[in-house]
Amino acid sequence: MQSRFFVLAFCFLAITRVSAETLRWGFSPTDPAPYVMMQGGELGPSITRSMGELVASRLGWQLEFVEVPNNRLDQSLRGGRIDLVCNTNPAWHRAPEKHRWSRPLYHDADVVVIRAGRTIPDRLEDMEGMRIGAGHDQHYPPELANAFSDGTFQRLDVRDTETRLRMVEHNRLDATVERRRAVQYHITRHPDHLLAIAPWTLAEIPLQCVAEQKHRDRGTRAIETLERLYGDQDIRAVLTGFGLVAEQ
């Protein structure tokens, strides 16, 4: 009798596991901390992981994190490789009106970072001829993108924020353009840093989550759940835990 109970219990758990929905949460491994942090080739403790686990738990779904380069997000959403992705903005997508968007969860900004002790430029035009660090799949405001294209700045593509900041400290780059929150997070973890952030911004960026909504409803349901969690302060608590201020 006892053995039959365990067999039935195992079968029930197996059926439940098979029948449960799986939410495929996309992320770019080159997004900076604290949005994305990699550990051993996998997504580690980060805003992305915390938000994904919170949403999946509320829905009662399994969760799979899927690496997607920033320049392939639209393709991955349309093709069903991922159900949604966060830390993005409608301006970075070819047809944003075809997707389901969350409200802005927090704002960030593109800022110029130089080595401490150097003269901080007052505007972009003051940086002519500089070696500027950039990410190959990152989105930049038009003014900066044009300056890269016409050779006003010497663009050096470097994979991740941490490496670019270290290169600035060691004078291998004259400056780098980064997300302000990412630089602030780096500075809090490295009090002996040799970095200075320009007081002006290249662009203010409201960051949102986006889901494909034409053929599948998993992403749309995740967005709806995320909105409810935001209203209940749960998402705000995640952001606050990583030093970010959520939108009111």
Side-chain angles (χ1 to χ4, degrees), residues 176-187:
T176 184
V177 176
E178 306 294 342
R179 299 283 153 75
R180 180 171 52 202
R181 303 290 192 187
V183 181
Q184 291 171 339
Y185 184 77
H186 173 89
I187 286 174

Side-chain angles (χ1 to χ4, degrees), residues 140-171:
Y140 295 106
E143 185 180 8
L144 179 61
N146 293 337
F148 281 144
S149 297
D150 65 21
T152 300
F153 304 145
Q154 182 182 349
R155 174 172 178 163
L156 298 177
D157 284 323
V158 180
R159 177 175 172 79
D160 60 75
T161 295
E162 291 284 325
T163 302
R164 291 192 293 269
L165 294 176
R166 287 196 298 270
M167 290 177 70
V168 168
E169 289 184 310
H170 290 87
N171 290 315

Side-chain angles (χ1 to χ4, degrees), residues 116 169 186-188 190-196:
E169 289 184 310
H186 173 89
I187 286 174
T188 61
H190 300 86
D192 58 344
H193 70 90
L194 298 173
L195 300 170

Side-chain angles (χ1 to χ4, degrees), residues 2 31 56 61 78 81 87 116-117 138 141 151 175 209 244:
Q2 187 176 21
D31 278 357
W61 291 355
R78 289 195 307 269
R81 187 178 177 214
N87 309 321
Q138 297 298 308
C209 296
L244 293 182

